[in-house]
Amino acid sequence: MLDGWRGVAALAVVFHHVSHVPVGGPAVMCFFVISGYCITASAEAALRNGMSFGSYMRRRINRIYPPYLASLLFYISTRIIKLVTTGINDLNRPVIDFIQSATLTQWLTLVFSPATNPIDNPSLFVTAHWSLCYEEQFYLLMGLPLFIATYVQRKNGARDMFRLVWICVALSVVFNLFIDHLSYGLFLEYFAMFGVGCLVYYRLSRLKGNPMRWSIDLFLAMGWIVAMMVTLGSERDWEATRYDDLMFASGFGLLLIALHRFENWYRSSRASFILGSIGLISYSLYLVHQFNLNIVLAFTDRILPAETPYFVLIGSQIVVHVIVAAAFWFFFERPYLNHGSWVFGKRAVFVLSRSKE
């Protein structure tokens, strides 16, 4: 069912940027939870199969960086066109910004100059890419047990990973309890949200016995309640605190657990075809939609009548963004899927559950 939720979250992010309805933040937290689930599953499988840390990281790099670098070239090409047609130069930036963008190290800017929100990072070319800076740190962290198993020859890698998740979730919660109003670009700021996905994976796929499973249910429920209380008791704007993010992530984790029993029904439904196909291209949609907002708006304004209802205009823009993302996915993401399949629809369920690993 993760494929469908990834599709829903991707559409919510695009809807957020197209309509300015603030649903993007919760959608990104859903992505973090899904990433936590998938990467934990991938890292655990790598441990069971005896994969080395180097092989694991090569798969991560091969999966994330080629489409990301292609999206940067796409962005630069649109900025060149903008410069030629309007005289506005969005590429007049320090060289270090280009280096950091090419290496996904924009988070280093926040280490030395923290901001209220990670999207306020001045070194970002595309603000939507802020979450990738945290995801790459998460990949490295989850590869640590593999590194230990590869170079220290420790045999309890799976147990080490389970402990690592709990420790980092606890550290992230404590970190945000004291520093929830500034972003330093460090993984601890959002690991609790990734960690929800890790715990959901263990709850649904690895743990045996109801007591252990129920303990995770209780932990997520407590996390949701505490985060909601902190959020409601805060006088700051909700976007300035990460406890509302933890509230959304914990709630989404509990929802995934509750709906797991309907997995077979979902796979046989038409929704799995539609949302699965959108979920399949969700990474491409995430990469390329934001810097094409004005272009797509101008295109839909040109082809639609002036009296077009607002909701039709918004829906049309989302459809165009999905089409652009599908083309980008076909040429720049599909070749780098770890499992190589690119069939839409029912096959998308298989691909999405694995190609994001």
Side-chain angles (χ1 to χ4, degrees):
M1 201 174 287
L2 291 180
D3 55 303
W5 285 113
R6 189 179 281 124
V8 170
L11 290 175
V13 170
V14 177
F15 179 72
H16 168 89
H17 288 128
V18 169
S19 67
H20 305 292
V21 176
V23 295
V28 172
M29 294 307 108
C30 292
F31 274 123
F32 280 179
V33 173
I34 293 170
S35 291
Y37 186 105
C38 293
I39 295 304
T40 305
S42 177
E44 278 247 333
L47 279 169
R48 292 194 300 271
N49 296 330
M51 182 183 294
S52 68
F53 174 76
S55 297
Y56 167 82
M57 288 308 302
R58 279 194 294 272
R59 284 170 64 88
R60 303 282 68 74
I61 292 172
N62 187 63
R63 179 68 186 90
I64 297 299
Y65 272 89
Y68 169 72
L69 294 176
S71 74
L72 285 184
L73 293 177
F74 189 9
Y75 166 81
I76 291 173
S77 67
T78 61
R79 298 312 98 172
I80 292 175
I81 295 174
K82 182 178 180 180
L83 174 62
V84 172
T85 56
T86 68
I88 299 175
N89 187 4
D90 291 336
L91 299 176
N92 185 21
R93 305 171 67 106
V95 174
I96 189 64
D97 285 359
F98 288 88
I99 296 174
Q100 287 182 296
S101 291
T103 56
L104 267 179
T105 54
Q106 301 99 316
W107 58 274
L108 289 173
T109 298
L110 294 180
V111 172
F112 300 102
S113 301
T116 302
N117 289 303
I119 61 174
D120 298 326
N121 187 340
S123 64
L124 289 170
F125 281 8
V126 182
T127 56
H129 293 175
W130 70 269
S131 59
L132 273 181
C133 298
Y134 291 93
E135 290 217 26
E136 66 170 353
Q137 295 179 58
F138 175 68
Y139 297 158
L140 284 169
L141 184 69
M142 296 306 291
L144 183 59
L146 277 168
F147 179 87
I148 295 174
T150 301
Y151 297 104
V152 184
Q153 302 298 313
R154 183 176 170 85
K155 301 300 183 181
N156 296 321
R159 186 174 300 175
D160 291 341
M161 186 173 296
F162 188 57
R163 291 170 178 167
L164 178 67
V165 168
W166 278 108
I167 291 171
C168 290
V169 167
L171 290 175
S172 179
V173 170
V174 173
F175 179 89
N176 286 319
L177 187 63
F178 295 98
I179 312 176
D180 71 331
H181 59 288
L182 286 176
S183 294
Y184 290 88
L186 302 175
F187 77 94
L188 278 178
E189 295 167 10
Y190 287 96
F191 187 88
M193 297 66 166
F194 284 108
V196 168
C198 302
L199 295 177
V200 171
Y201 165 75
Y202 285 114
R203 164 65 172 79
L204 296 179
S205 303
R206 300 297 295 166
L207 294 180
K208 298 179 180 179
N210 287 332
M212 288 295 292
R213 294 172 179 170
W214 291 341
S215 66
I216 289 181
D217 295 345
L218 179 62
F219 178 80
L220 293 179
M222 295 266 309
W224 180 79
I225 293 172
V226 171
M228 181 176 63
M229 292 175 63
V230 173
T231 299
L232 294 178
S234 175
E235 296 181 356
R236 292 190 296 271
D237 177 51
W238 72 274
E239 291 183 333
T241 176
R242 283 184 289 274
Y243 268 85
D244 64 309
D245 294 335
L246 181 57
M247 179 182 67
F248 288 123
S250 299
F252 181 58
L254 289 169
L255 183 63
L256 290 178
I257 293 171
L259 295 179
H260 181 66
R261 67 186 66 185
F262 302 107
E263 180 75 24
N264 291 334
W265 172 84
Y266 167 77
R267 288 179 181 272
S268 62
S269 69
R270 182 166 297 183
S272 68
F273 178 89
I274 300 172
L275 295 177
S277 297
I278 297 174
L280 179 62
I281 65 169
S282 60
Y283 182 46
S284 291
L285 187 57
Y286 157 81
L287 288 174
V288 304
H289 81 276
Q290 190 178 26
F291 59 84
N292 286 312
L293 289 173
N294 291 333
I295 297 174
V296 171
L297 175 60
F299 174 75
T300 53
D301 282 345
R302 180 178 292 271
I303 65 172
L304 295 175
E307 62 276 9
T308 300
Y310 179 73
F311 72 91
V312 174
L313 179 62
I314 295 298
S316 300
Q317 291 178 57
I318 293 175
V319 169
V320 174
H321 281 295
V322 170
I323 293 173
V324 172
F328 182 89
W329 172 85
F330 185 86
F331 291 106
F332 300 109
E333 183 181 354
R334 178 184 60 88
Y336 300 98
L337 292 175
N338 288 329
H339 290 263
S341 178
W342 56 273
V343 179
F344 280 77
K346 299 293 183 183
R347 290 285 300 279
V349 175
F350 173 84
V351 176
L352 278 163
S353 299
R354 294 162 174 80
S355 65
K356 286 286 184 180
E357 297 172 2

mmCIF file of all heavy atoms in Angstrom, residues 6 59-60 63 280 329 333 336-341 348 350-357:
data_model
loop_
_atom_site.group_PDB
_atom_site.id
_atom_site.type_symbol
_atom_site.label_atom_id
_atom_site.label_comp_id
_atom_site.label_asym_id
_atom_site.label_seq_id
_atom_site.Cartn_x
_atom_site.Cartn_y
_atom_site.Cartn_z
ATOM 1 N N ARG A 6 2.508 6.924 -1.545
ATOM 2 C CA ARG A 6 3.533 7.758 -2.190
ATOM 3 C C ARG A 6 2.914 8.596 -3.298
ATOM 4 O O ARG A 6 3.256 9.768 -3.475
ATOM 5 C CB ARG A 6 4.654 6.874 -2.735
ATOM 6 C CG ARG A 6 5.862 7.646 -3.229
ATOM 7 C CD ARG A 6 6.943 6.710 -3.719
ATOM 8 N NE ARG A 6 7.697 6.148 -2.605
ATOM 9 C CZ ARG A 6 7.855 4.844 -2.388
ATOM 10 N NH1 ARG A 6 7.282 3.980 -3.192
ATOM 11 N NH2 ARG A 6 8.570 4.415 -1.376
ATOM 12 N N ARG A 59 24.329 1.340 -4.567
ATOM 13 C CA ARG A 59 22.920 1.246 -4.958
ATOM 14 C C ARG A 59 22.177 2.526 -4.607
ATOM 15 O O ARG A 59 21.356 3.021 -5.376
ATOM 16 C CB ARG A 59 22.275 0.050 -4.261
ATOM 17 C CG ARG A 59 22.651 -1.287 -4.860
ATOM 18 C CD ARG A 59 22.170 -2.429 -3.988
ATOM 19 N NE ARG A 59 20.726 -2.466 -3.897
ATOM 20 C CZ ARG A 59 19.911 -3.109 -4.755
ATOM 21 N NH1 ARG A 59 20.433 -3.755 -5.786
ATOM 22 N NH2 ARG A 59 18.607 -3.101 -4.598
ATOM 23 N N ARG A 60 22.474 3.083 -3.433
ATOM 24 C CA ARG A 60 21.817 4.325 -3.021
ATOM 25 C C ARG A 60 22.188 5.468 -3.965
ATOM 26 O O ARG A 60 21.339 6.245 -4.389
ATOM 27 C CB ARG A 60 22.201 4.697 -1.588
ATOM 28 C CG ARG A 60 21.905 3.666 -0.523
ATOM 29 C CD ARG A 60 20.456 3.617 -0.102
ATOM 30 N NE ARG A 60 19.532 3.133 -1.126
ATOM 31 C CZ ARG A 60 19.429 1.853 -1.493
ATOM 32 N NH1 ARG A 60 20.186 0.940 -0.921
ATOM 33 N NH2 ARG A 60 18.575 1.502 -2.417
ATOM 34 N N ARG A 63 20.675 5.100 -7.353
ATOM 35 C CA ARG A 63 19.230 5.319 -7.350
ATOM 36 C C ARG A 63 18.855 6.795 -7.252
ATOM 37 O O ARG A 63 17.889 7.247 -7.853
ATOM 38 C CB ARG A 63 18.611 4.530 -6.168
ATOM 39 C CG ARG A 63 17.106 4.693 -6.039
ATOM 40 C CD ARG A 63 16.385 4.041 -7.204
ATOM 41 N NE ARG A 63 14.947 4.331 -7.154
ATOM 42 C CZ ARG A 63 14.381 5.365 -7.723
ATOM 43 N NH1 ARG A 63 15.137 6.250 -8.372
ATOM 44 N NH2 ARG A 63 13.081 5.542 -7.667
ATOM 45 N N LEU A 280 4.951 5.632 -8.783
ATOM 46 C CA LEU A 280 6.141 5.178 -9.506
ATOM 47 C C LEU A 280 6.998 6.342 -9.970
ATOM 48 O O LEU A 280 8.232 6.274 -9.948
ATOM 49 C CB LEU A 280 5.701 4.331 -10.712
ATOM 50 C CG LEU A 280 6.801 3.771 -11.614
ATOM 51 C CD1 LEU A 280 7.700 2.828 -10.843
ATOM 52 C CD2 LEU A 280 6.197 3.070 -12.806
ATOM 53 N N TRP A 329 10.890 10.854 -15.842
ATOM 54 C CA TRP A 329 11.111 9.539 -15.246
ATOM 55 C C TRP A 329 11.558 8.524 -16.296
ATOM 56 O O TRP A 329 12.491 7.746 -16.071
ATOM 57 C CB TRP A 329 9.817 9.066 -14.586
ATOM 58 C CG TRP A 329 9.857 7.644 -14.109
ATOM 59 C CD1 TRP A 329 10.337 7.175 -12.919
ATOM 60 C CD2 TRP A 329 9.400 6.487 -14.836
ATOM 61 N NE1 TRP A 329 10.203 5.813 -12.855
ATOM 62 C CE2 TRP A 329 9.636 5.364 -14.019
ATOM 63 C CE3 TRP A 329 8.812 6.312 -16.090
ATOM 64 C CZ2 TRP A 329 9.305 4.070 -14.425
ATOM 65 C CZ3 TRP A 329 8.487 5.022 -16.491
ATOM 66 C CH2 TRP A 329 8.735 3.926 -15.662
ATOM 67 N N GLU A 333 15.103 8.577 -14.878
ATOM 68 C CA GLU A 333 15.020 7.795 -13.637
ATOM 69 C C GLU A 333 14.882 6.312 -13.908
ATOM 70 O O GLU A 333 15.548 5.494 -13.257
ATOM 71 C CB GLU A 333 13.843 8.279 -12.778
ATOM 72 C CG GLU A 333 13.758 7.553 -11.440
ATOM 73 C CD GLU A 333 12.581 7.993 -10.586
ATOM 74 O OE1 GLU A 333 11.875 8.948 -10.978
ATOM 75 O OE2 GLU A 333 12.359 7.358 -9.536
ATOM 76 N N TYR A 336 17.794 3.844 -14.000
ATOM 77 C CA TYR A 336 18.589 3.655 -12.790
ATOM 78 C C TYR A 336 17.813 2.960 -11.681
ATOM 79 O O TYR A 336 18.310 2.844 -10.558
ATOM 80 C CB TYR A 336 19.098 5.012 -12.286
ATOM 81 C CG TYR A 336 19.966 5.695 -13.303
ATOM 82 C CD1 TYR A 336 19.446 6.674 -14.145
ATOM 83 C CD2 TYR A 336 21.303 5.335 -13.464
ATOM 84 C CE1 TYR A 336 20.238 7.292 -15.105
ATOM 85 C CE2 TYR A 336 22.097 5.935 -14.428
ATOM 86 C CZ TYR A 336 21.556 6.916 -15.242
ATOM 87 O OH TYR A 336 22.340 7.514 -16.203
ATOM 88 N N LEU A 337 16.593 2.493 -11.988
ATOM 89 C CA LEU A 337 15.857 1.716 -11.002
ATOM 90 C C LEU A 337 16.625 0.439 -10.714
ATOM 91 O O LEU A 337 17.071 -0.251 -11.638
ATOM 92 C CB LEU A 337 14.458 1.382 -11.511
ATOM 93 C CG LEU A 337 13.483 2.565 -11.656
ATOM 94 C CD1 LEU A 337 12.182 2.086 -12.287
ATOM 95 C CD2 LEU A 337 13.214 3.211 -10.317
ATOM 96 N N ASN A 338 16.742 0.101 -9.443
ATOM 97 C CA ASN A 338 17.541 -1.067 -9.067
ATOM 98 C C ASN A 338 16.998 -2.366 -9.637
ATOM 99 O O ASN A 338 17.742 -3.307 -9.858
ATOM 100 C CB ASN A 338 17.609 -1.175 -7.536
ATOM 101 C CG ASN A 338 18.490 -0.092 -6.937
ATOM 102 O OD1 ASN A 338 19.445 0.350 -7.549
ATOM 103 N ND2 ASN A 338 18.149 0.344 -5.730
ATOM 104 N N HIS A 339 15.679 -2.413 -9.893
ATOM 105 C CA HIS A 339 15.095 -3.636 -10.420
ATOM 106 C C HIS A 339 14.724 -3.518 -11.887
ATOM 107 O O HIS A 339 14.181 -4.446 -12.449
ATOM 108 C CB HIS A 339 13.875 -4.044 -9.596
ATOM 109 C CG HIS A 339 14.234 -4.529 -8.237
ATOM 110 N ND1 HIS A 339 14.364 -5.854 -7.932
ATOM 111 C CD2 HIS A 339 14.536 -3.846 -7.104
ATOM 112 C CE1 HIS A 339 14.698 -5.987 -6.658
ATOM 113 N NE2 HIS A 339 14.805 -4.784 -6.136
ATOM 114 N N GLY A 340 14.967 -2.345 -12.477
ATOM 115 C CA GLY A 340 14.895 -2.225 -13.911
ATOM 116 C C GLY A 340 13.526 -2.250 -14.553
ATOM 117 O O GLY A 340 13.405 -2.033 -15.741
ATOM 118 N N SER A 341 12.454 -2.518 -13.814
ATOM 119 C CA SER A 341 11.139 -2.588 -14.433
ATOM 120 C C SER A 341 10.539 -1.201 -14.568
ATOM 121 O O SER A 341 10.763 -0.333 -13.748
ATOM 122 C CB SER A 341 10.208 -3.466 -13.597
ATOM 123 O OG SER A 341 8.931 -3.510 -14.156
ATOM 124 N N ALA A 348 3.522 -1.544 -11.080
ATOM 125 C CA ALA A 348 4.069 -0.426 -10.321
ATOM 126 C C ALA A 348 4.097 -0.727 -8.839
ATOM 127 O O ALA A 348 4.956 -0.244 -8.117
ATOM 128 C CB ALA A 348 3.245 0.843 -10.570
ATOM 129 N N PHE A 350 4.846 -3.563 -7.457
ATOM 130 C CA PHE A 350 6.079 -4.309 -7.220
ATOM 131 C C PHE A 350 7.280 -3.390 -7.255
ATOM 132 O O PHE A 350 8.139 -3.407 -6.371
ATOM 133 C CB PHE A 350 6.231 -5.393 -8.283
ATOM 134 C CG PHE A 350 7.547 -6.110 -8.231
ATOM 135 C CD1 PHE A 350 7.730 -7.170 -7.363
ATOM 136 C CD2 PHE A 350 8.605 -5.712 -9.042
ATOM 137 C CE1 PHE A 350 8.953 -7.828 -7.323
ATOM 138 C CE2 PHE A 350 9.808 -6.369 -8.999
ATOM 139 C CZ PHE A 350 9.987 -7.428 -8.144
ATOM 140 N N VAL A 351 7.344 -2.545 -8.285
ATOM 141 C CA VAL A 351 8.495 -1.664 -8.456
ATOM 142 C C VAL A 351 8.630 -0.685 -7.301
ATOM 143 O O VAL A 351 9.708 -0.482 -6.764
ATOM 144 C CB VAL A 351 8.399 -0.909 -9.797
ATOM 145 C CG1 VAL A 351 9.539 0.087 -9.929
ATOM 146 C CG2 VAL A 351 8.461 -1.895 -10.953
ATOM 147 N N LEU A 352 7.514 -0.074 -6.925
ATOM 148 C CA LEU A 352 7.566 0.952 -5.888
ATOM 149 C C LEU A 352 7.997 0.381 -4.555
ATOM 150 O O LEU A 352 8.679 1.035 -3.777
ATOM 151 C CB LEU A 352 6.193 1.605 -5.737
ATOM 152 C CG LEU A 352 5.931 2.681 -6.778
ATOM 153 C CD1 LEU A 352 4.438 2.985 -6.827
ATOM 154 C CD2 LEU A 352 6.686 3.928 -6.448
ATOM 155 N N SER A 353 7.628 -0.847 -4.273
ATOM 156 C CA SER A 353 7.988 -1.428 -2.990
ATOM 157 C C SER A 353 9.469 -1.741 -2.925
ATOM 158 O O SER A 353 10.018 -1.934 -1.858
ATOM 159 C CB SER A 353 7.186 -2.719 -2.758
ATOM 160 O OG SER A 353 5.802 -2.423 -2.747
ATOM 161 N N ARG A 354 10.131 -1.745 -4.082
ATOM 162 C CA ARG A 354 11.515 -2.172 -4.098
ATOM 163 C C ARG A 354 12.484 -1.166 -4.708
ATOM 164 O O ARG A 354 13.602 -1.013 -4.247
ATOM 165 C CB ARG A 354 11.627 -3.498 -4.882
ATOM 166 C CG ARG A 354 10.894 -4.611 -4.141
ATOM 167 C CD ARG A 354 10.600 -5.778 -5.051
ATOM 168 N NE ARG A 354 10.032 -6.888 -4.307
ATOM 169 C CZ ARG A 354 8.789 -6.984 -3.934
ATOM 170 N NH1 ARG A 354 7.947 -6.008 -4.237
ATOM 171 N NH2 ARG A 354 8.333 -8.006 -3.244
ATOM 172 N N SER A 355 12.029 -0.457 -5.747
ATOM 173 C CA SER A 355 12.948 0.440 -6.420
ATOM 174 C C SER A 355 13.333 1.631 -5.569
ATOM 175 O O SER A 355 14.362 2.261 -5.817
ATOM 176 C CB SER A 355 12.327 0.933 -7.733
ATOM 177 O OG SER A 355 11.195 1.723 -7.481
ATOM 178 N N LYS A 356 12.530 1.970 -4.563
ATOM 179 C CA LYS A 356 12.879 3.065 -3.665
ATOM 180 C C LYS A 356 13.817 2.600 -2.559
ATOM 181 O O LYS A 356 14.249 3.391 -1.740
ATOM 182 C CB LYS A 356 11.605 3.655 -3.037
ATOM 183 C CG LYS A 356 10.806 4.504 -4.011
ATOM 184 C CD LYS A 356 11.482 5.820 -4.256
ATOM 185 C CE LYS A 356 10.634 6.717 -5.149
ATOM 186 N NZ LYS A 356 11.257 7.990 -5.394
ATOM 187 N N GLU A 357 14.103 1.301 -2.516
ATOM 188 C CA GLU A 357 14.952 0.782 -1.454
ATOM 189 C C GLU A 357 16.398 1.179 -1.676
ATOM 190 O O GLU A 357 16.823 1.408 -2.765
ATOM 191 C CB GLU A 357 14.837 -0.739 -1.397
ATOM 192 C CG GLU A 357 13.411 -1.205 -1.052
ATOM 193 C CD GLU A 357 13.255 -2.699 -1.196
ATOM 194 O OE1 GLU A 357 14.249 -3.356 -1.519
ATOM 195 O OE2 GLU A 357 12.162 -3.195 -0.985
#
